[in-house]
């Protein structure tokens, strides 16, 4: 699975997925669950690199003393919106407003998609950002109900 980045606007970001062949309905449902789970974690502030206390503590986290006050003092880091995945032939796409979520949101999604590619559905490439000449995006406003989640 190839991962490529194009121009990225954190508040107006398209994610494109090209399958090796047209996915079945069941395969589409699995990918929908991956994206819905990713978005829910983002909506709940899960992608906040400013509060990585366990990661920064090192290998041994036995009896780790989590600092709730430090966590509370950090700015919220939440995703704002995501559309449902759309499918056309061997392509899938999704629009997201990553809001104040950190770049580790993208890393987490790419890591999940890499494993998804290995275990469930063959993915040729994932394109983060920009436009796709194989499937043009019509301009939409943020007031459009498709953008509300």
């Amino acid at each position: 699975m190839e991962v490529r980045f194009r121009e990225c606007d954190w508040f107006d970001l398209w994610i494109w997925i090209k399958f090796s062949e047209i996915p079945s309905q069941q395969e589409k449902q699995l990918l929908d669950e991956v994206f819905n789970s990713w978005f829910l974690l983002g909506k709940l502030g899960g992608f906040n690199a400013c509060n990585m206390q366990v990661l920064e503590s090192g290998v041994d986290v036995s009896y780790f003393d989590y600092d709730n006050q430090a966590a509370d003092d950090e700015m919220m880091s939440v995703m704002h919106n995501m559309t449902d995945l759309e499918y056309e032939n061997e392509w899938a796409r999704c629009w997201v407003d990553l809001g104040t979520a950190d770049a580790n949101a993208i890393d987490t999604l790419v890591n999940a998609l890499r494993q998804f590619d290995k275990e469930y559905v063959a993915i040729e490439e994932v394109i983060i950002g920009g436009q796709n000449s194989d499937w043009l995006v019509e301009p939409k406003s943020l007031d459009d109900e498709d953008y509300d989640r």
Side-chain angles (χ1 to χ4, degrees):
M1 181 183 97
E2 183 180 344
V3 178
R4 295 188 301 138
F5 284 80
R6 294 184 178 151
E7 183 178 348
C8 292
D9 175 349
W10 227 239
F11 302 102
D12 185 17
L13 185 71
W14 282 95
I15 300 171
W16 307 90
I17 298 168
K18 185 176 184 183
F19 298 97
S20 297
E21 55 187 49
I22 297 173
S24 70
Q25 192 59 36
Q26 183 179 12
E27 292 167 338
K28 289 176 184 179
Q29 289 174 343
L30 285 170
L31 185 62
D32 289 347
E33 288 302 316
V34 170
F35 270 81
N36 288 334
S37 299
W38 174 69
F39 178 70
L40 180 58
L41 287 173
K43 191 81 169 161
L44 294 173
F47 304 116
N48 185 350
C50 293
N51 187 34
M52 295 290 195
Q53 296 180 44
V54 177
L55 177 69
E56 292 171 357
S57 73
V59 176
D60 186 10
V61 296
S62 298
Y63 306 104
F64 176 69
D65 190 18
Y66 191 87
D67 188 343
N68 286 307
Q69 186 60 49
D72 288 341
D73 290 344
E74 292 299 334
M75 184 179 98
M76 286 190 343
S77 181
V78 296
M79 286 185 184
H80 294 172
N81 288 307
M82 181 181 86
T83 61
D84 291 332
L85 266 83
E86 301 173 75
Y87 296 90
E88 185 173 293
N89 300 319
E90 72 277 359
W91 284 99
R93 70 181 181 187
C94 181
W95 174 88
V96 293
D97 175 348
L98 291 172
T100 56
D102 295 306
N104 64 356
I106 299 296
D107 278 327
T108 300
L109 178 63
V110 168
N111 288 339
L113 291 174
R114 289 176 54 78
Q115 195 63 31
F116 185 81
D117 167 61
K118 292 175 185 174
E119 293 193 25
Y120 297 102
V121 183
I123 297 174
E124 281 186 28
E125 66 180 327
V126 174
I127 302 170
I128 310 293
Q131 296 293 323
N132 183 345
S133 60
D134 289 345
W135 189 4
L136 298 177
V137 174
E138 295 184 26
K140 293 184 180 184
S141 73
L142 291 178
D143 296 331
D144 194 336
E145 69 181 54
D146 288 345
Y147 282 96
D148 294 333
R149 253 226 170 157

